[in-house]
Amino acid sequence: ILLVIASALLYGFAPVLCSMTYQYGNNPVTLTFFRSFFVVLILCGLMIKNQIEFRCEKGELFRIVIVALFGSVLTTFLLNSSYLYIGVGTATTLHFLYPLFVTLICHFVYHDSLNVKHMIALGIALCGVLLFLDFKDLSKMKGIMMALISGVTFAIYLVGIDKLKLSRMNSLKLSFYFALTVSVIMGTSGLAANQLVLNQPFISYALMFAVAIMAQWLAVVCLQKGIDVLGSSLASLFSMFEPVSCLVFGAIFLNETVVIAQVIGSGLILSGVLLLVKE
């Protein structure tokens, strides 16, 4: 339980550090590139240490790139971009709708059944989202849409890992190739569009390195260890600490205002997600 909560807190604190880097001239493209680039180096070392083969089977690399494009590239970029317009707590809470999007994708694409409990969960979560919408402030709406779409792309990523049989791969190897895909795509596109900001102070690089260590290594290890003991269903319940902690960390470290409507909206979204998780 403590390991899963620690994982949720690490995931919840990482967006605060991401947002802090923007104060030093960073941007979403550079942030997305470096948080993956640093992880590539770490995972490469771990694979060599554990004598894990880098070679992929026929067609495996293509499937990895397709899934990584949605889950690793688009999800991370959209979520990082949303921090420019809305608070990290709001963005993380809206992103946390991904279990509901997984249910919808599996229903409409793979024709999985959608029962009454699913419909109730979707309705509750939708009411929660409505409390976050602010049609008077278009910049906030832009951030809200980015956070919501990041939930959709992450859902596609999760379904893709399952349906394209990538879950059978070694987890270190899969994580390595996901991070490598992000580094290559964001590095080349960032250079081509002149969006890769390399002239940044040391503290910005230190924060990005900390995000990479926390969110893409330590948190993952803690979660895997916790799931091994508790099982995925019980572990996912304690993972609900992530959006809650992100709201709290955003208020403490970034002076983000949390209004009553957001608190109620967060409660409704998490309630809807919990209905699915419990099942």
Side-chain angles (χ1 to χ4, degrees):
I1 290 170
L2 288 174
L3 281 168
V4 176
I5 291 173
S7 168
L9 293 177
L10 286 167
Y11 278 129
F13 190 64
V16 173
L17 300 183
C18 291
S19 186
M20 284 179 176
T21 65
Y22 295 151
Q23 301 170 17
Y24 301 102
N26 202 9
N27 64 22
V29 174
T30 310
L31 175 60
T32 306
F33 168 73
F34 274 110
R35 65 181 287 177
S36 294
F37 176 72
F38 289 139
V39 169
V40 167
L41 301 178
I42 295 167
L43 292 173
C44 182
L46 289 172
M47 285 180 69
I48 293 169
K49 181 187 174 184
N50 292 292
Q51 298 181 333
I52 299 168
E53 278 193 1
F54 285 87
R55 186 176 59 85
C56 291
E57 294 177 9
K58 186 179 179 182
E60 204 170 49
L61 190 59
F62 176 74
R63 298 199 303 273
I64 289 170
V65 172
I66 293 298
V67 174
L69 187 61
F70 285 97
S72 301
V73 179
L74 288 176
T75 300
T76 311
F77 176 70
L78 286 167
L79 203 52
N80 289 340
S81 299
S82 71
Y83 302 149
L84 291 168
Y85 306 101
I86 56 177
V88 295
T90 299
T92 304
T93 303
L94 293 171
H95 170 76
F96 229 72
L97 282 164
Y98 68 81
L100 298 174
F101 294 135
V102 168
T103 302
L104 290 173
I105 290 169
C106 289
H107 173 68
F108 288 108
V109 178
Y110 296 99
H111 309 294
D112 289 1
S113 61
L114 198 66
N115 58 35
V116 176
K117 187 179 281 188
H118 291 151
M119 298 300 291
I120 293 170
L122 289 167
I124 291 171
L126 183 60
C127 291
V129 172
L130 291 174
L131 289 172
F132 279 96
L133 300 183
D134 184 2
F135 294 100
K136 294 178 182 177
D137 192 338
L138 291 179
S139 65
K140 278 189 177 180
M141 285 299 296
K142 189 176 180 180
I144 286 167
M145 290 309 298
M146 284 178 173
L148 285 172
I149 296 170
S150 79
V152 175
T153 56
F154 191 65
I156 294 171
Y157 159 79
L158 292 175
V159 173
I161 286 178
D162 178 35
K163 302 296 183 182
L164 296 178
K165 312 297 187 228
L166 293 179
S167 56
R168 297 174 183 175
M169 279 183 67
N170 178 280
S171 58
L172 271 179
K173 184 177 177 180
L174 185 61
S175 298
F176 169 78
Y177 277 107
F178 278 158
L180 184 63
T181 303
V182 178
S183 299
V184 172
I185 292 175
M186 296 308 294
T188 52
S189 60
L191 286 171
N194 200 27
Q195 287 291 306
L196 210 58
V197 183
L198 301 178
N199 186 21
Q200 295 187 54
F202 173 77
I203 188 170
S204 184
Y205 281 101
L207 288 169
M208 286 190 285
F209 183 74
V211 168
I213 295 293
M214 288 169 59
Q216 292 181 261
W217 185 32
L218 290 179
V220 174
V221 171
C222 287
L223 187 59
Q224 284 180 338
K225 299 276 187 188
I227 289 172
D228 188 42
V229 177
L230 298 175
S232 58
S233 296
L234 190 56
S236 58
L237 290 174
F238 290 103
S239 293
M240 295 294 166
F241 274 90
E242 182 186 337
V244 176
S245 67
C246 201
L247 276 171
V248 174
F249 289 143
I252 294 171
F253 294 100
L254 301 174
N255 297 317
E256 293 178 355
T257 55
V258 181
V259 297
I260 296 296
Q262 288 179 329
V263 175
I264 297 170
S266 299
L268 289 172
I269 288 172
L270 294 181
S271 297
V273 172
L274 272 171
L275 268 177
L276 289 182
V277 169
K278 189 171 180 289
E279 185 177 328

